[in-house]
Amino acid sequence: MNIERKILLLVLGVGVLWAFLLGGLSYSGITQVQRSTEGKGDEMLAAFAAFTENYAESLVNERLAEQAKLTAFQVAGDLGGFYDAENIAKMAEKILEYPQNYSPRYLPEATERTINANKAYIYYNPGVREQLATNPDLAKKIALLSNVADSLEYLSYFYNGDVCFMASEYGCLIRADAVSKGQTTLTLDEATILRSYDFRERPWYVAAKQANGLVLTDVYESMAGGLEIGSVMPFYDHGEFAGVVGISITLKSLHLTANENDISFILNNDGQIVISSRKEGVLSVSGSFVDLRESSQEDLAAVARDMAEGKNGTATVTVDGREYYLAYLPIPYMKGYSCAALTDKEAALAPAMIARATVKKISEEFSTSVNSIFRERIFYIGILFGVIFIVLLLISGGMAHKLVKPVLILTDGVKKIAAGNLDTRLSVKTGDEIEALSDSINAMASDLQSYIKKAKEKERIEGELEGARQIQAGMLPNNFLEFNNQKEIDLYATMTPAKEVGGDFYDFYMLDEKHLAITIADVSGKGVPAALFMMRSRTILKNIAMMSASLDNYAAVISLANKQLCEDNEEAMFVTVFFGVLDLTTGEFAYVNGGHNPPLVCRNGKFDYLPTEKQNTVLGLFDSETYQECCLTFAPGDMIFLYTDGVTEAMNEARELYSEARLQRTLNEQSGKNIKDILTAVRENVSIYAGNAEQSDDITMLGLKFNGKFGGT
């Protein structure tokens, strides 16, 4: 029997037996209604509380995962000296490989404690400077390596309180020190001034020498006593280890910020916290670098073990006596380091607890109000029963329905909302606490819908980016049949874009009846800015090339394109370009390489990398840069293969590069096929090598085969 029928029977019973049972029946009816109302209220409150707490916890975990991801990318950016170290290493190796192209340079030594910032100087290991006068070969090698000074000085402007350096096995260390904004000088440590230590024994030098490649060091103590971490890479002299280049970064310059209820920290694979937003407590940076995996708090130790193993996930942990939600993941491009973000559980669930308390208070007030109304109605019914019994019989059913209907509407509506139907809206117009409770529940459902709508909007934006990537790929020419109908050539090209829009492109077109132009290029950066710069670069290059009849040579085409790309380039974006023009009648191939990967040329069935006569600079950075044109002549059957670094730098699941050597070996295995089959085979080989690893860069290739004049020998 429902509440409505109970009230109806109660009112009628009181009307008949008012003289004998008025007090007992009134008390019994009030008690029964109160229990039913409280039961429905408790049921509604329990469903609401469980839903809000679970939903709030899921939102907190999603926010923490995103926060950890953003913090990881921030730290990876702060420690982004990997690429700078790699470029300086390549420069040092080039100096040692082609010493005839460089003049000796002599740098000052640091003899005073205070020196100018962003200026390169040289440090000699104990006993090395004394050998220079008697060992001219050593002196010359050190003087030639000093040519990296300009690059070190340039890089030092992009770091805050850090050091850009090159240390050679010959006993010299060239460094340029960076300072904080507004400073122009810095104070050196005494060991450097007195030349009292051998840098070859420093942890960063030993780590790079043993790693045989790019490496992020463990935290170590600098000669000045501070804590540092280094992005370092070895360089080689004709295959022999010759030294280390890198960027040393002070931990003081790395900042993690968090609000009062949040914590962020970075953990290495030894379980040690190296960076933290906390100044004290178990998650602060300890001078003795405690292994968090050995913590007495097992929940925290378990998370630390997962982080040290490179895993990602979420957990609830206790830190300094308080419960926290925690999300963690490995830092991209920083093997052996993970990032964690925490938020106070009590603070995170506070809004849900407040909503729960508010609903409970309103429910209690509603129950009290209903009980009061029942007592009042029963009292007047007892007094007027004898006079209005017939009228009461007609209206008692409607009155009971009116009193109970709002409660039933609220109960049914809250069950639907708790089940996930957030479009449900309660329409209760009683003008009292019941209506206020209904409005509160409607506001809660609306807020939850708003959260879900934002999540769907995020999915929509990702879909639009996918559409932009497809449009960008569709801009590239694919009319290969039209060109291959010319019997002198066989031409094919492909581009496999990465997940987001990027900056690779290829192009081919006829300058006149006998000259075919081909281009492959790679724009710096990712995302929409790189895609826009790619479209601008392609348009400028093609427009200038089509007017190249009025220029002296194709180096002038690239120089003019470089000047136009430098204009209004406030973001300092750049593009690497390989541009070539083939004479279809003679096989003469003129080309200009603007900082791009060297192509491979196939002669007599064997692919070899095209030698680099001069390392031209990328386009878009220096408007006064000049470029050198080179020429070679294709014999019938010769081929050229162009590609972007998405091919050679494709990584497998172990983060190992595909490499230029593997590319050359794959091409030589396919040299007897046509151009399209060769490119298809290379793409399949790269995919097999990468396995399940996500593609991180566009993979672009262009192949051209010269068949000679049709009908000729």
Side-chain angles (χ1 to χ4, degrees), residues 508-698:
F508 53 86
Y509 43 87
M510 296 298 297
L511 297 178
D512 53 36
E513 293 182 354
K514 69 173 186 176
H515 288 94
L516 168 68
I518 60 173
T519 305
I520 195 164
D522 187 358
V523 173
S524 62
K526 299 291 179 190
V528 174
L532 293 176
F533 197 76
M534 164 265 192
M535 289 186 285
R536 182 184 177 202
S537 302
R538 178 175 178 263
T539 301
I540 289 174
L541 276 169
K542 185 171 182 178
N543 288 344
I544 295 175
M546 295 299 292
M547 298 184 298
S548 62
S550 62
L551 300 176
D552 293 333
N553 54 50
Y554 297 117
V557 171
I558 302 303
S559 295
L560 185 55
N562 175 56
K563 289 182 180 179
Q564 291 192 20
L565 288 174
C566 288
E567 295 176 0
D568 301 322
N569 187 12
E570 297 179 357
E571 279 72 28
M573 299 189 72
F574 62 86
V575 59
T576 66
V577 175
F578 184 92
F579 174 83
V581 177
L582 174 65
D583 187 324
L584 301 182
T585 61
T586 65
E588 182 177 341
F589 183 69
Y591 63 91
V592 180
N593 190 337
H596 197 75
N597 306 75
L600 292 98
V601 174
C602 179
R603 297 180 187 275
N604 299 320
K606 181 181 180 183
F607 277 95
D608 289 301
Y609 282 97
L610 187 63
T612 302
E613 298 182 12
K614 178 185 177 183
Q615 185 67 30
N616 291 324
T617 306
V618 298
L619 281 66
L621 294 180
F622 308 107
D623 57 6
S624 61
E625 186 66 29
T626 60
Y627 295 85
Q628 178 181 342
E629 175 184 318
C630 300
C631 293
L632 57 90
T633 301
F634 287 152
D638 287 353
M639 292 181 281
I640 186 167
F641 176 83
L642 310 180
Y643 63 96
T644 61
D645 57 9
V647 177
T648 53
E649 294 181 7
M651 290 186 288
N652 58 18
E653 297 171 13
R655 303 189 65 79
E656 297 170 334
L657 298 180
Y658 185 76
S659 79
E660 294 178 348
R662 182 173 276 102
L663 172 60
Q664 182 179 11
R665 184 166 61 251
T666 301
L667 286 170
N668 281 323
E669 291 172 355
Q670 309 295 329
S671 62
K673 299 180 179 179
N674 61 42
I675 287 294
K676 182 177 180 180
D677 290 343
I678 290 175
L679 267 62
T680 301
V682 172
R683 184 65 188 92
E684 290 177 353
N685 190 262
V686 172
S687 297
I688 293 171
Y689 179 81
N692 294 325
E694 183 177 358
Q695 181 180 335
S696 61
D697 199 359
D698 296 346

Side-chain angles (χ1 to χ4, degrees), residues 485-503:
N485 284 335
Q486 303 182 53
K487 304 299 183 179
E488 295 89 346
I489 61 170
D490 183 11
L491 173 67
Y492 194 71
T494 66
M495 187 190 81
T496 305
K499 183 176 182 181
E500 59 183 44
V501 291

